[in-house]
Every structure is written in C-alpha cells, then in structure tokens.
C-alpha cells in the first residue's frame, strides 16, 4: 500500500510540475518577458528533442512513436520554443491515446513552409471543438475526464503563430479514432 501511495504521489507531483511549468511559460510569453528568436535550424533536431521529452510516457503506455521525417529541412524557428510547442502536441497525442497504439510524426516539405503532422489513435476531437481547443484553459468534453489544464495547445499555438506559422487539427477518417495535428513553419 505504501508503494502504491508513493507512486500515486509521484504522479500527482509530476502533474503539478507540468501545470506550473506551463503557467510560468504562458505568463512569460503573454507579458513578452520571453522573446522568440527564430533562426535557421534543423527541424529534425527539434523534433528529436521534443520526442525525447515524452518518450518515457509513451513507453509506459506501450505507445509506439513512429517518425517519417525523410531528408532534414532547414526552417526559420526558435528551436527551444518550437520544441516546447511540439512537446505539448506530442504529449497530448500520448495522453489521449490508449495503450498499444501508434503516434506518427511526418515532415512534409512544401513550397515556402515545412509541415509537421502528428497523427494519433486517441479519443479524437469533435468538429465543433476543433477551433476551441487552442483557446486558453479550454478542455473538450471528452478530455475533461483525463489530466490536463487546457494550457498546452494554447501555448503551442502562441509559439507557432509568433514564428509566422500555423497549427490546426483534423480528424482521421470516419472509421479510425484519433486526430491529426498539422504544424506549418516557414522555410529558410
């Protein structure tokens, strides 16, 4: 019983630390204490750094992370803050997916942008909530039963848009559960 209590306590502390980190980052970003400094850099390195932050959480749920990145792309981004934005999206993909599923990350070069797609096999997002999920503190109906604060996607959107990028979400096909997040950032 003592071990179970300690494990539960550890999970609760981790949730509080995540919430505190998100709130501090949100506050700093909104008050312009943090200035994003986009520069030319490897998107592959930024994605790898973001994946490494959520890898253990995925492993604990036996979620396979599959990457289809292809040739590395140089994009104009702030690597640290873009990593933070991607961590928030990747973390949601893992959090809202069941055990033994797959999260797929694809990088597709476009003419002036690079598109990063994050596809999960999770609970999905109803059509009427797709624009709302990027608002501060918004939690979807299905998401309310799971951990979270409603800050992660808002923060991700703020970071991406401040770098002249976009982020949006689509559903997978009608026969498949889950979502596909698309992040587009400008090429160098």
């Amino acid at each position: 019983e003592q071990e179970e209590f300690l494990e539960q306590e550890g999970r609760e502390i981790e949730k509080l630390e995540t919430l505190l980190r998100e709130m501090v980052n949100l506050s700093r970003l909104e008050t312009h204490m943090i200035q994003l400094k986009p520069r030319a850099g490897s998107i592959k390195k930024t994605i790898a750094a973001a994946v490494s932050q959520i890898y253990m959480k995925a492993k604990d749920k036996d979620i396979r992370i599959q990457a289809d990145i292809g040739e590395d792309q140089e994009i104009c981004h702030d690597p640290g803050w873009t990593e933070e934005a991607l961590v928030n999206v990747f973390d949601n993909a893992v959090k809202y997916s069941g055990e033994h599923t797959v999260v797929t990350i694809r990088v597709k070069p476009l003419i002036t942008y690079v598109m990063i797609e994050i596809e999960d096999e999770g609970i999905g997002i109803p059509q009427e909530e797709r624009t709302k999920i990027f608002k501060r503190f918004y939690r979807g109906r299905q998401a309310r039963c799971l951990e979270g604060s409603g800050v992660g996607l808002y923060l991700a959107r703020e970071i991406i848009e401040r770098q002249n990028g976009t982020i949006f979400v689509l559903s997978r096909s009608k026969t498949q559960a889950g979502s596909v997040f698309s992040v587009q950032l400008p090429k160098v």
Side-chain angles (χ1 to χ4, degrees):
E1 285 180 4
Q2 188 175 16
E3 283 181 26
E4 285 178 30
F5 177 75
L6 287 173
E7 285 178 24
Q8 178 64 29
E9 189 175 69
R11 286 190 295 272
E12 293 301 319
I13 289 170
E14 186 178 306
K15 288 180 197 175
L16 286 172
E17 287 173 343
T18 300
L19 177 61
L20 182 60
R21 180 179 52 83
E22 287 177 345
M23 296 302 288
V24 167
N25 284 340
L26 178 63
S27 175
R28 288 179 177 164
L29 197 62
E30 287 183 338
T31 58
H32 301 286
M33 288 175 63
I34 296 172
Q35 298 295 315
L36 279 84
K37 297 177 178 127
R39 63 181 195 276
S42 162
I43 191 57
K44 192 180 256 188
K45 285 182 183 178
T46 303
I47 290 171
V51 167
S52 72
Q53 288 193 47
I54 56 97
Y55 179 77
M56 288 310 295
K57 191 179 275 191
K59 185 177 179 195
D60 289 345
K61 289 179 76 174
D62 193 26
I63 294 174
R64 187 167 47 99
I65 298 174
Q66 179 177 301
D68 180 11
I69 296 176
E71 188 176 318
D72 197 7
Q73 301 291 314
E74 288 282 309
I75 65 168
C76 187
H77 71 302
D78 182 310
W81 282 104
T82 303
E83 176 186 329
E84 177 73 21
L86 292 175
V87 165
N88 287 333
V89 179
F90 296 167
D91 185 61
N92 277 0
V94 170
K95 185 187 316 179
Y96 296 115
S97 291
E99 293 182 345
H100 319 296
T101 57
V102 177
V103 171
T104 304
I105 302 164
R106 288 183 288 276
V107 175
K108 298 178 180 179
L110 304 174
I111 294 171
T112 57
Y113 285 83
V114 169
M115 181 169 58
I116 305 161
E117 286 184 336
I118 303 96
E119 183 174 358
D120 65 52
E121 298 174 1
I123 60 176
I125 301 165
Q127 176 74 36
E128 65 274 7
E129 293 183 355
R130 290 196 197 135
T131 56
K132 296 176 185 175
I133 62 170
F134 295 103
K135 292 181 180 178
R136 185 175 12 166
F137 303 122
Y138 182 80
R139 303 278 327 269
R141 283 175 298 170
Q142 295 176 352
R144 290 183 189 139
C145 62
L146 298 167
E147 66 181 72
S149 61
V151 174
L153 290 178
Y154 172 77
L155 188 59
R157 181 183 58 85
E158 285 289 312
I159 292 167
I160 298 301
E161 287 182 354
R162 288 183 187 204
Q163 298 180 90
N164 298 315
T166 60
I167 181 171
F168 57 90
V169 65
L170 303 167
S171 284
R172 294 177 76 205
S173 73
K174 292 186 186 232
T175 59
Q176 297 174 306
S179 303
V180 180
F181 279 79
S182 179
V183 175
Q184 296 182 19
L185 288 163
K187 286 184 176 181
V188 175

